Amino acid sequence: MTQQSHALALSNTSLAMAISNPGALGTIEAYVGAVNRVPLLTHEQETELGKRLRDHGDLDAARQLIVSHLRLVVSISRQYLGYGLAHADLIQEGNVGLMKAVKRFDPDRGVRLVSFAVHWIKAEIHEYIVRNWRLVKVATTKAQRKLFFNLRRMRPDGQTLDTEQVDDIARELNVRPEDVSEMEVRLSGREMALEGQGDEDAYAPIAYLSDEGQQEPSQVLERRSRDALQGAGLAGALEGLDARSRRIVEARWLQDDGGATLHELAQEFGVSAERVRQIEAAAFKKMRVALAA
């Protein structure tokens, strides 16, 4: 066994748990030191391991590919420390992306794993940050996510943007100027404690936030309708609607980017927003009957 193979064999033992839990080695510093001591693979070794995994499902080959690239995840995760999330958590999510990249790696394409894995690692870390950066989510659409990860860097000295700067950023990122302005406001919002201290109790958010358990009947029905739409009978229920009703339901509730508003659909069909709401309510009623059948 060569020195490099011996080092990788040791790494498979000491870093197996650390792949999914970077804190398993005690401290994040110990983990970083351990992954940095793992030798890098040569192109020939990487190709051989990739073929063993692809052609024979060799899990040991997959493990060696993953362990030898853990230092890449550490390096990339450092770029996202400014979001207030634990470094170990960022590494853990990045490792998930690395494992996805290894699973899809094709050594015959002539591309090194490091180049292929970067995109998967960043994608997992981005998703984790968006889910967890704040209790109230600040980025849901593609444009908002693009701004979320670029606006801080592009905003000069962290100052408020003027109209010309907003337009410049919008052109560079291929988004709308209003999206830039909205994300600037969201990123500038300060955190606020849910409960106050002493005399501040009456003005703290806990004093005036609504109780989700005491929703209005219309809100309860709307929530139940959304839950029902996610069931297995969705396709059949949609087929029972006319074209306009189906378009409204799909545009409002079945889109990844948050869905269209009543006013947007009103303009599309040339009717009032209230009429769109009525059509939507009738469609939900018809779909509930179909789902219950």
Side-chain angles (χ1 to χ4, degrees):
M1 180 180 290
T2 65
Q3 181 179 0
Q4 185 174 31
S5 298
H6 179 66
L8 280 173
L10 292 175
S11 299
N12 285 342
T13 301
S14 62
L15 293 176
M17 289 191 302
I19 292 175
S20 59
N21 181 15
L25 294 181
T27 65
I28 190 65
E29 290 77 12
Y31 174 84
V32 173
V35 300
N36 284 336
R37 286 193 296 272
V38 178
L40 296 174
L41 296 173
T42 65
H43 193 184
E44 292 74 17
Q45 290 172 323
E46 184 179 290
T47 300
E48 178 188 353
L49 291 170
K51 290 181 178 179
R52 281 168 49 189
L53 173 61
R54 182 195 63 192
D55 299 337
H56 307 291
D58 190 331
L59 294 182
D60 183 64
R63 185 162 52 248
Q64 291 188 54
L65 288 169
I66 293 170
V67 169
S68 64
H69 287 80
L70 290 176
R71 66 173 68 192
L72 173 65
V73 177
V74 171
S75 176
I76 292 175
S77 65
R78 286 198 181 103
Q79 303 172 21
Y80 300 95
L81 291 177
Y83 294 97
L85 299 172
H87 194 190
D89 292 340
L90 295 172
I91 292 174
Q92 181 173 332
E93 295 299 319
N95 286 345
V96 173
L98 173 61
M99 287 186 278
K100 289 182 178 180
V102 168
K103 182 179 179 180
R104 294 164 173 80
F105 178 55
D106 185 351
D108 290 337
R109 291 184 178 272
V111 178
R112 293 297 299 269
L113 177 57
V114 63
S115 301
F116 181 68
V118 165
H119 304 287
W120 287 94
I121 294 168
K122 287 186 175 181
E124 288 297 320
I125 293 177
H126 284 187
E127 183 66 25
Y128 175 73
I129 292 174
V130 169
R131 288 198 316 265
N132 295 278
W133 190 53
R134 283 186 179 173
L135 181 62
V136 179
K137 302 301 184 288
V138 298
T140 54
T141 67
K142 291 182 179 180
Q144 288 172 347
R145 289 176 182 237
K146 186 184 298 185
L147 286 163
F148 179 80
F149 289 105
N150 289 279
L151 189 55
R152 281 186 172 183
R153 171 180 57 82
M154 301 176 71
R155 188 166 50 183
D157 302 323
Q159 300 298 316
T160 301
L161 300 174
D162 57 32
T163 303
E164 183 177 353
Q165 292 169 329
V166 168
D167 291 338
D168 290 341
I169 292 175
R171 280 194 298 271
E172 182 172 346
L173 296 180
N174 193 28
V175 298
R176 300 179 303 171
E178 49 266 38
D179 290 332
V180 178
S181 300
E182 180 180 356
M183 183 55 63
E184 181 187 19
V185 172
R186 294 188 181 191
L187 291 176
S188 299
R190 65 182 181 87
E191 303 291 342
M192 179 181 294
L194 184 63
E195 298 182 356
Q197 298 180 354
D199 296 337
E200 299 178 357
D201 286 345
Y203 303 98
I206 194 65
Y208 54 78
L209 287 177
S210 62
D211 181 2
E212 296 298 330
Q214 301 295 326
Q215 293 181 328
E216 296 180 1
S218 60
Q219 293 176 317
V220 174
L221 290 174
E222 184 178 84
R223 174 173 54 80
R224 289 177 179 174
S225 297
R226 289 199 303 268
D227 293 341
L229 286 176
Q230 296 174 359
L234 174 60
L238 284 172
E239 289 178 359
L241 300 178
D242 61 83
R244 182 170 64 171
S245 298
R246 179 168 181 167
R247 163 62 183 158
I248 290 173
V249 171
E250 290 178 338
R252 287 273 289 155
W253 303 109
L254 302 179
Q255 302 298 318
D256 293 334
D257 60 358
T261 66
L262 292 174
H263 292 286
E264 289 171 343
L265 290 169
Q267 292 180 352
E268 178 178 336
F269 290 107
V271 297
S272 67
E274 174 60 21
R275 179 56 184 152
V276 173
R277 189 196 65 76
Q278 293 172 355
I279 296 172
E280 178 187 69
F284 279 153
K285 183 177 180 180
K286 189 172 183 179
M287 292 180 72
R288 282 196 294 272
V289 173
L291 290 168

